[in-house]
Amino acid sequence: MFTVEKERNITWHNTNVTKQHRQLLHGHKSPILWFTGLSGSGKSTIANLLEQNLHKYRKSTYLLDGDNIRHGLNSDLSFNSEDRKENIRRIGEVAKLFVDSGIITLVSFISPYKADRKIVRNLVQDKEFIEIYIKCPLDICEQRDPKGLYKRARKGEIKNFTGISSPYEKPEDPEIILETEKETKETAVDKIIKYLKEHQYI
Ligand SMILES: Nc1ncnc2c1ncn2[C@@H]1O[C@H](COP(=O)(O)OS(=O)(=O)O)[C@@H](OP(=O)(O)O)[C@H]1O
Ligand SMILES: Nc1ncnc2c1ncn2[C@@H]1O[C@H](COP(=O)(O)OP(=O)(O)O)[C@@H](O)[C@H]1O
């Protein structure tokens, strides 16, 4: 029924209602759809449209968006590398809880470091982490500049800005790559839904 971690005097309690019971109730699996990419690459746009589509087809979803989470849970974190690591660690743990709740969990964070994304992948079971690389050249993201942040970063008003003064490490072997310079958001969403159906997540 439970396991004890002796050093810290804490106990893990198993619940009678399990992830499998919850997934059965929802009628689908509950993977993490992890969107990673530069600011302005299209993570939020695609994740939002995907959630809208899944919701329309009566799938239970929740979207965790970096900008939003930094308003609350992670409002104490900056954009230096240590804080970004902690940002991803926390949201990885939150996403794991959502997986356990039986909900399809969309996570849209720049998540620039390979090692941090790998830590989250290893938090959940095999096939429960679907990495979606929102690929878009920096110059196109910069032209789009939906929030005017690149302009400010170039002027030196924002430090540690991803792609300008802070690194972005591309995924090596993501499950899905979407090239938003070449394909529309609708095509991108269709591709993700096709993947989910083909791999029997939904
Ligand atoms: N220095 C710096 N670098 C990058 N982005 C910045 C920065 N300062 C603020 N912003 C805004 O914060 C959003 C990214 O937050 P994340 O939590 O996703 O970033 S990270 O995963 O910790 O790297 C990011 O949102 P998106 O544009 O949606 O990616 C920006 O709006
Ligand atoms: N194919 C596409 N997919 C997603 N966004 C696109 C695409 N083409 C143009 N855009 C535009 O690029 C911008 C992406 O912004 P956003 O979704 O906030 O990116 P991110 O969350 O990665 O910072 C939006 O203004 C969106 O309308």
Side-chain angles (χ1 to χ4, degrees):
M1 287 296 284
F2 58 83
T3 49
V4 183
E5 200 187 303
K6 276 201 176 144
E7 255 176 40
R8 292 188 297 153
N9 305 310
I10 53 170
T11 308
W12 179 270
H13 294 266
N14 288 321
T15 54
N16 294 336
V17 178
T18 66
K19 175 168 71 183
Q20 283 69 33
H21 292 120
R22 297 185 198 103
Q23 288 180 342
L24 207 60
L25 193 67
H26 291 293
H28 51 73
K29 302 241 174 72
S30 50
I32 297 173
L33 303 175
W34 190 279
F35 294 82
T36 175
L38 292 170
S39 177
S41 57
K43 302 181 297 296
S44 302
T45 302
I46 294 172
N48 256 293
L49 187 62
L50 173 65
E51 186 178 37
Q52 212 180 344
N53 272 266
L54 290 170
H55 185 78
K56 197 167 75 189
Y57 293 110
R58 306 184 66 80
K59 310 298 175 200
S60 304
T61 59
Y62 198 77
L63 168 54
L64 299 160
D65 189 278
D67 255 333
N68 294 353
I69 299 294
R70 280 177 175 276
H71 276 83
L73 178 65
N74 291 352
S75 59
D76 57 324
L77 301 177
S78 74
F79 287 90
N80 66 34
S81 59
E82 257 177 49
D83 280 8
R84 286 188 202 243
K85 183 181 172 67
E86 174 60 11
N87 187 33
I88 301 310
R89 188 196 69 79
R90 283 188 205 166
I91 212 60
E93 291 289 348
V94 172
K96 184 182 176 179
L97 295 175
F98 273 90
V99 168
D100 199 46
S101 77
I103 287 172
I104 299 169
T105 311
L106 294 78
V107 182
S108 169
F109 279 58
I110 294 177
S111 47
Y113 298 114
K114 258 190 271 181
D116 298 341
R117 297 191 299 261
K118 191 164 180 205
I119 288 171
V120 182
R121 184 183 283 275
N122 291 336
L123 271 181
V124 292
Q125 287 175 9
D126 193 28
K127 311 276 182 223
E128 282 183 338
F129 184 89
I130 302 170
E131 189 169 32
I132 303 174
Y133 176 28
I134 306 299
K135 188 173 172 188
C136 186
L138 178 66
D139 59 322
I140 303 292
C141 294
E142 203 167 344
Q143 276 169 38
R144 289 179 182 166
D145 205 5
K147 299 170 216 158
L149 297 177
Y150 281 100
K151 209 171 173 187
R152 291 183 52 212
R154 287 288 184 197
K155 281 200 236 162
E157 290 172 10
I158 307 175
K159 57 177 188 168
N160 295 329
F161 197 81
T162 308
I164 308 285
S165 45
S166 186
Y168 177 78
E169 297 173 359
K170 294 172 191 157
E172 263 164 18
D173 195 18
E175 278 74 8
I176 301 175
I177 302 177
L178 302 167
E179 299 195 58
T180 63
E181 183 202 10
K182 299 181 187 157
E183 51 195 324
T184 65
K185 58 186 179 190
E186 289 80 10
T187 310
V189 165
D190 287 347
K191 279 190 183 170
I192 301 171
I193 292 186
K194 187 167 179 267
Y195 181 94
L196 293 175
K197 284 184 179 163
E198 278 178 5
H199 293 78
Q200 277 113 42
Y201 288 100
I202 58 175

